[in-house]
Each structure stands twice: as structure tokens, then as C-alpha cells.
């Protein structure tokens, strides 16, 4: 992804160049990206992975104006799980979910809105289908994105002592890698712990 971004020409759309790679990297099923145009008061310039173009056209014409989550997610200006801004049961009862998201199979996701000061550079909307774990790094269930970010930033020894060791199998049954302290050579682990 980094090499692809480095090779992009100045005027090229970086979102289009790396969105499919980001979807693969995060083991997601779907991805979309838009740029907010304040003058038009709407999201434009869609880029997507595994989403129907006709459904995205419905979003652009109708559902973005009836979207109960995107502006709440955008206001956070960081990666945020959708469930943090709207309860899952409320989302699943909404027109937005039933007539737009579910049509392509989107069930749960995380959105990130990128800014340069006040300038909106675009967003990443990464979603998984029903039956897929919400987040592999928390055993299949993510309480909130701050917990996920804390686990990613914390050293493996702290994660293990806090009983968050990603051992053997998560609740979804997917096999996960062993903790870093179990897979690192002893000398490397000793340097890492210092």
C-alpha cells in the first residue's frame, strides 16, 4: 500500500489506488470512499470495492440525505466503529440499513474520515458481512474503537498480563496468531521489553 501511494502521480486519486488493498488487508468484505463537497452539501467522487454501482447511485441520490450514521462518524475525525454512534438494533431497524446497506450485504463496519486542518480529504468506509467477526484483535467483538486502538498500541507483554492474549481461537472460531512474546526469539523479546 505504501509503495503504491509513493508511486501515485500528484493529481491521481489515492483512494482509488489503495482501497481494494485496504479492504484485503483488513479482511473486510466491502469498501467505499467519498469526499465531502461543502459547496454542494453532499458526498461525491465515490470509489468502491464489492458494492453495486446502482446501489451507490441510490446512496448519492437519496440515502446520503437520510443517513443516520455518517455525519456522526465524520464529526469524530478518527476511525470509529459504526456501533459507537448508533446502537446496532436501531441501525438494523432503519431505512438506511434495510434499503441501502443490507442490499449489498454490509452488516458492520468502521469508518475513518481524513482531514488536513478543516479540509476534507476523503473517507474510508470498511464493512464486513453478517457472520464475520467485528474485529479480530478483540476476539470477534469490539466494544469500542478506543479499546481496539489501545490493544494495537500496547506491548504484547501488557496485553498478555491483562488476559487479552490472542491465543488459539477467537469466539468466531477463526484461528489467530500466537502472542508476539511466544513467537519472538528470546533475545529479540528481551530488547522489545526494555
Amino acid at each position: 500500500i505504501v509503495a503504491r501511494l509513493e508511486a501515485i502521480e500528484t493529481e491521481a486519486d489515492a483512494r482509488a489506488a489503495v482501497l481494494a488493498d485496504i479492504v484485503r488487508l483488513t479482511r473486510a468484505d466491502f469498501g467505499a470512499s467519498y469526499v465531502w463537497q461543502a459547496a454542494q452539501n453532499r458526498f461525491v467522487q465515490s470509489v468502491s470495492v464489492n458494492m453495486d454501482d446502482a446501489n451507490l447511485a441510490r446512496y448519492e441520490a437519496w440515502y446520503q440525505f437520510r443517513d443516520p450514521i455518517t455525519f456522526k462518524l465524520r464529526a469524530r475525525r478518527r476511525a470509529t466503529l459504526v456501533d459507537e454512534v448508533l446502537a446496532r438494533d436501531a441501525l438494523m431497524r432503519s431505512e438506511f440499513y434495510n434499503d441501502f446497506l443490507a442490499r449489498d450485504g454490509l452488516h458492520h463496519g468502521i469508518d475513518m474520515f481524513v482531514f488536513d486542518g478543516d479540509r476534507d480529504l476523503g473517507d474510508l468506509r470498511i464493512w464486513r458481512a453478517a457472520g464475520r467477526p467485528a474485529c479480530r484483535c478483540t476476539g470477534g467483538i469490539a466494544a469500542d474503537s478506543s479499546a481496539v486502538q489501545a490493544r494495537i498500541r500496547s506491548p504484547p507483554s501488557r496485553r498478555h498480563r491483562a488476559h487479552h492474549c490472542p491465543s488459539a481461537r477467537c469466539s468466531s472460531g477463526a484461528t489467530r496468531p500466537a502472542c508476539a512474546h511466544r513467537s519472538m526469539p528470546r533475545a529479540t523479546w528481551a530488547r522489545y521489553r526494555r
Side-chain angles (χ1 to χ4, degrees):
I1 292 172
V2 173
R4 196 177 305 253
L5 287 170
E6 287 178 344
I8 292 175
E9 296 180 22
T10 307
E11 298 301 317
D13 188 348
R15 298 170 309 128
V18 298
L19 183 61
D21 294 328
I22 292 170
V23 168
R24 250 189 323 278
L25 178 68
T26 58
R27 296 184 179 148
D29 299 303
F30 313 96
S33 178
Y34 283 90
V35 175
W36 174 252
Q37 289 294 324
Q40 298 175 17
N41 202 31
R42 65 185 310 134
F43 290 100
V44 296
Q45 301 173 3
S46 71
V47 176
S48 68
V49 174
N50 296 331
M51 295 183 71
D52 180 60
D53 290 336
N55 200 30
L56 289 171
R58 282 189 289 280
Y59 175 80
E60 293 166 16
W62 177 263
Y63 291 106
Q64 75 170 297
F65 306 110
R66 285 144 187 86
D67 181 341
I69 57 174
T70 301
F71 287 102
K72 294 175 184 177
L73 293 162
R74 186 174 183 265
R76 291 181 170 224
R77 292 181 170 228
R78 64 177 173 82
T80 304
L81 297 168
V82 171
D83 291 349
E84 288 182 57
V85 299
L86 184 64
R88 165 105 347 238
D89 59 337
L91 176 63
M92 293 184 80
R93 286 191 313 265
S94 71
E95 171 192 26
F96 182 73
Y97 178 81
N98 289 292
D99 295 343
F100 171 65
L101 294 174
R103 193 176 284 239
D104 276 334
L106 286 73
H107 187 265
H108 51 275
I110 185 166
D111 291 11
M112 181 175 74
F113 292 79
V114 182
F115 290 84
D116 180 12
D118 287 334
R119 182 172 163 236
D120 188 318
L121 301 178
D123 60 46
L124 292 173
R125 306 174 190 195
I126 308 299
W127 287 75
R128 287 187 173 168
R132 297 283 315 282
C135 178
R136 290 191 63 179
C137 60
T138 58
I141 304 295
D144 63 67
S145 61
S146 59
V148 173
Q149 291 168 2
R151 282 204 17 97
I152 291 168
R153 285 192 306 263
S154 66
S157 62
R158 180 173 157 211
R159 287 198 314 249
H160 185 69
R161 282 194 309 266
H163 304 291
H164 292 295
C165 177
S167 61
R169 301 178 84 65
C170 72
S171 61
S172 70
T175 301
R176 298 184 303 174
C179 282
H181 72 276
R182 292 185 182 156
S183 60
M184 283 185 197
R186 188 173 291 231
T188 304
W189 177 246
R191 280 194 310 271
Y192 182 79
R193 289 187 57 178
R194 282 187 224 145

